[in-house]
Amino acid sequence: MTIKTVSTTPYDDQKMGTAGLRKKSKVVMQENYVENFVQSIFNVIGDAKGKVYVLGGDGRFYNDIAIQKIIKIAAANGVSKLIIGRNGYVSTPAASHIILMNKLDGGFVLSASHNPGGINGDFGIKYANQSGGQAPSQISDKIYQESKNIREYKIYESEDIDLSELGTQKLGDMTIEVIDPVKDYAAMMEQIFDFNALRQLFAKGFRMKFDAMNAVTGPYAVKIFEEMLGAEKGSVINAKPLPDFGGLHPDPNLVYAKELINIMNGKDAPDFGAANDGDGDRNMILGQNFFVSPSDSLAIITDNYALIPAYKDGIFGVARSAATSTAVCRVGAARNLPCYEVPTGWKYFVNLMDSKRITFCGEESFGTGSSHIREKDGIWAVLFWLSIIAATGKSVAEITKAHWQKYGRTYYIRNDYEGVPTEVADKLMADLEAKLPTLKGKSFGAYTVSEAAPFIYNDPVDGSSTKNGLIIKFANDSRIIYRLSGTGSSGATIRVYNEQYKKDDLTGDSAEVLKPLAALAAEIAEITLRTGKTKADVTT
């Protein structure tokens, strides 16, 4: 075994988005693509001697090959130790916990999150630092600049490492420890929640369905829900991680989780339904023929924090992304909790957690979490909902409707216009931003513009300033938010968020209530004229 220095040619497209590097699988399979990116990270980090990292992924196509590349590059760059999930599996929340629990220097999580897998699907690499969260923009920008100039990388020439058995082995001076990726995470969940109360819930005949979507949380869900809590066997469906997710699109929403939706809307439906995405950080919550929006879920979780043992003594505060509905801030105001509004991207929550400004946080894109780790956490959110049900004896629908009665209802819908040429999307947003000052005070039927401006976030911890999206507010408690997604692998996705708050009229259909506002949003941005799309590709 020897360390080899390999000459390479840089790629100009290795810029990380809101959740790491995300590309089409065939792009990542290009010669030296992974090697260039990983070596760029080590070049920016500097001396890696004595450093320890976690490594794993969601099991998607090319994970196994990329993991072996990273092992050999890490060894060649002087890393002291890698902690790797057996068979290369580790969920994003579990990786964050491993980093924090063991005080590691960071980690590499191979996932494109909720994007489809397979050779024609997507691939991603997330780089986390010692906080357990995604590397801050200052670091990711340096990595991108390094990747555009890289001329060589270092790699160990060796046989592939066997990751199928637990234990330790060596590659040169580097130790490789293969661990059970579920064990420590499950133990943490047992410390946060009252597992005895949840066992009693299932012992009384409570039934659930959890759709792991053939992704990484299948083993986690089987262990926790079926083996530890006593949910009946088969409660977890699509539980085996597959390289192409069995043809499923592992995004837990009303469009892609069709099997679970049909189960929960069918005859003899279980009491509770939930789903996670590819790497386990997103979640969807369902009752019998009832869907809980992620924005409402965050608000309901916040309102019920005292039911959970880990939070019974109080929480610091809450935060939401600007594109998430204002529902949680109403709970915060009622409970005298600060409520922060941040750009999209979980890394913006980390400073608030580390400075003890917040405990709970969430994004409308089905991500909810707390300061127990520094990532969103799908199974944590599911266990929280099960705990509310166990404590109150109410159904998902009853819990949600009671919340609306208490606080009012925020109707909310996101429309995604996908696959828009990047230059078209960029110009649409630039022209719309230029138009915003002319909109204030203008009336569009029942909608009179009260504010129209870009969203600017000034971080109270590090003083940085970030512009993320455009917001139009109306006098009737409505909002439209426009932003470009940072989680796609090609082209651009224009996301348009429509929101209207009502103190009464609580039982309407969101699509119908928001139909006029959604049409106005498309009109103001000239979406059909500029993109040719007459309707959204995905509505959630």
mmCIF file of all heavy atoms in Angstrom, residues 50 153 202 260 265 276 327 397 410 419 455-456:
data_model
loop_
_atom_site.group_PDB
_atom_site.id
_atom_site.type_symbol
_atom_site.label_atom_id
_atom_site.label_comp_id
_atom_site.label_asym_id
_atom_site.label_seq_id
_atom_site.Cartn_x
_atom_site.Cartn_y
_atom_site.Cartn_z
ATOM 1 N N GLY A 50 -4.423 13.691 13.098
ATOM 2 C CA GLY A 50 -5.120 13.635 14.374
ATOM 3 C C GLY A 50 -6.607 13.873 14.284
ATOM 4 O O GLY A 50 -7.315 13.776 15.295
ATOM 5 N N TYR A 153 -4.419 15.355 -6.537
ATOM 6 C CA TYR A 153 -4.988 14.838 -5.295
ATOM 7 C C TYR A 153 -4.149 13.666 -4.822
ATOM 8 O O TYR A 153 -3.406 13.055 -5.595
ATOM 9 C CB TYR A 153 -6.453 14.416 -5.472
ATOM 10 C CG TYR A 153 -6.688 13.281 -6.449
ATOM 11 C CD1 TYR A 153 -6.624 11.941 -6.028
ATOM 12 C CD2 TYR A 153 -6.998 13.532 -7.781
ATOM 13 C CE1 TYR A 153 -6.846 10.897 -6.920
ATOM 14 C CE2 TYR A 153 -7.219 12.502 -8.677
ATOM 15 C CZ TYR A 153 -7.154 11.190 -8.236
ATOM 16 O OH TYR A 153 -7.371 10.157 -9.118
ATOM 17 N N PHE A 202 -48.930 1.703 21.757
ATOM 18 C CA PHE A 202 -49.017 0.610 20.785
ATOM 19 C C PHE A 202 -49.632 -0.645 21.403
ATOM 20 O O PHE A 202 -50.321 -1.405 20.720
ATOM 21 C CB PHE A 202 -47.634 0.315 20.208
ATOM 22 C CG PHE A 202 -47.159 1.343 19.223
ATOM 23 C CD1 PHE A 202 -46.163 2.241 19.557
ATOM 24 C CD2 PHE A 202 -47.728 1.436 17.963
ATOM 25 C CE1 PHE A 202 -45.739 3.203 18.664
ATOM 26 C CE2 PHE A 202 -47.313 2.387 17.050
ATOM 27 C CZ PHE A 202 -46.306 3.285 17.396
ATOM 28 N N LEU A 260 -48.244 5.526 0.674
ATOM 29 C CA LEU A 260 -48.666 5.863 2.030
ATOM 30 C C LEU A 260 -49.963 6.669 2.020
ATOM 31 O O LEU A 260 -50.856 6.437 2.847
ATOM 32 C CB LEU A 260 -47.563 6.647 2.741
ATOM 33 C CG LEU A 260 -47.859 7.049 4.184
ATOM 34 C CD1 LEU A 260 -48.020 5.822 5.065
ATOM 35 C CD2 LEU A 260 -46.759 7.954 4.730
ATOM 36 N N ASN A 265 -55.677 7.077 3.308
ATOM 37 C CA ASN A 265 -56.983 7.539 2.835
ATOM 38 C C ASN A 265 -57.929 6.385 2.527
ATOM 39 O O ASN A 265 -59.070 6.598 2.102
ATOM 40 C CB ASN A 265 -56.819 8.396 1.576
ATOM 41 C CG ASN A 265 -56.138 9.723 1.864
ATOM 42 O OD1 ASN A 265 -55.956 10.093 3.020
ATOM 43 N ND2 ASN A 265 -55.768 10.446 0.823
ATOM 44 N N ASN A 276 -40.280 9.443 5.719
ATOM 45 C CA ASN A 276 -39.007 10.163 5.717
ATOM 46 C C ASN A 276 -38.461 10.214 4.299
ATOM 47 O O ASN A 276 -38.893 9.454 3.430
ATOM 48 C CB ASN A 276 -37.973 9.481 6.619
ATOM 49 C CG ASN A 276 -38.092 9.857 8.086
ATOM 50 O OD1 ASN A 276 -37.316 9.399 8.896
ATOM 51 N ND2 ASN A 276 -39.071 10.663 8.446
ATOM 52 N N ALA A 327 -47.114 30.534 11.269
ATOM 53 C CA ALA A 327 -47.886 29.870 12.323
ATOM 54 C C ALA A 327 -47.087 29.697 13.612
ATOM 55 O O ALA A 327 -47.593 29.942 14.715
ATOM 56 C CB ALA A 327 -48.395 28.513 11.828
ATOM 57 N N ALA A 397 -55.927 14.537 13.346
ATOM 58 C CA ALA A 397 -56.870 15.574 12.905
ATOM 59 C C ALA A 397 -57.380 16.386 14.091
ATOM 60 O O ALA A 397 -57.487 17.621 14.014
ATOM 61 C CB ALA A 397 -58.041 14.937 12.151
ATOM 62 N N THR A 410 -53.301 29.101 9.289
ATOM 63 C CA THR A 410 -52.500 29.673 8.215
ATOM 64 C C THR A 410 -52.582 28.733 7.018
ATOM 65 O O THR A 410 -51.952 27.683 6.994
ATOM 66 C CB THR A 410 -51.036 29.844 8.653
ATOM 67 O OG1 THR A 410 -50.986 30.595 9.864
ATOM 68 C CG2 THR A 410 -50.241 30.566 7.577
ATOM 69 N N GLY A 419 -37.133 22.595 -13.559
ATOM 70 C CA GLY A 419 -36.440 22.457 -14.832
ATOM 71 C C GLY A 419 -36.409 23.719 -15.671
ATOM 72 O O GLY A 419 -36.322 23.664 -16.897
ATOM 73 N N PHE A 455 -35.855 39.503 1.076
ATOM 74 C CA PHE A 455 -35.648 39.106 2.463
ATOM 75 C C PHE A 455 -34.167 39.190 2.784
ATOM 76 O O PHE A 455 -33.338 38.562 2.129
ATOM 77 C CB PHE A 455 -36.148 37.682 2.703
ATOM 78 C CG PHE A 455 -35.796 37.166 4.076
ATOM 79 C CD1 PHE A 455 -36.370 37.727 5.209
ATOM 80 C CD2 PHE A 455 -34.872 36.142 4.241
ATOM 81 C CE1 PHE A 455 -36.035 37.276 6.474
ATOM 82 C CE2 PHE A 455 -34.533 35.678 5.500
ATOM 83 C CZ PHE A 455 -35.114 36.239 6.628
ATOM 84 N N ILE A 456 -33.829 39.996 3.779
ATOM 85 C CA ILE A 456 -32.437 40.172 4.221
ATOM 86 C C ILE A 456 -32.333 39.663 5.656
ATOM 87 O O ILE A 456 -33.079 40.108 6.532
ATOM 88 C CB ILE A 456 -32.005 41.645 4.170
ATOM 89 C CG1 ILE A 456 -32.252 42.248 2.775
ATOM 90 C CG2 ILE A 456 -30.540 41.777 4.581
ATOM 91 C CD1 ILE A 456 -31.395 41.675 1.688
#
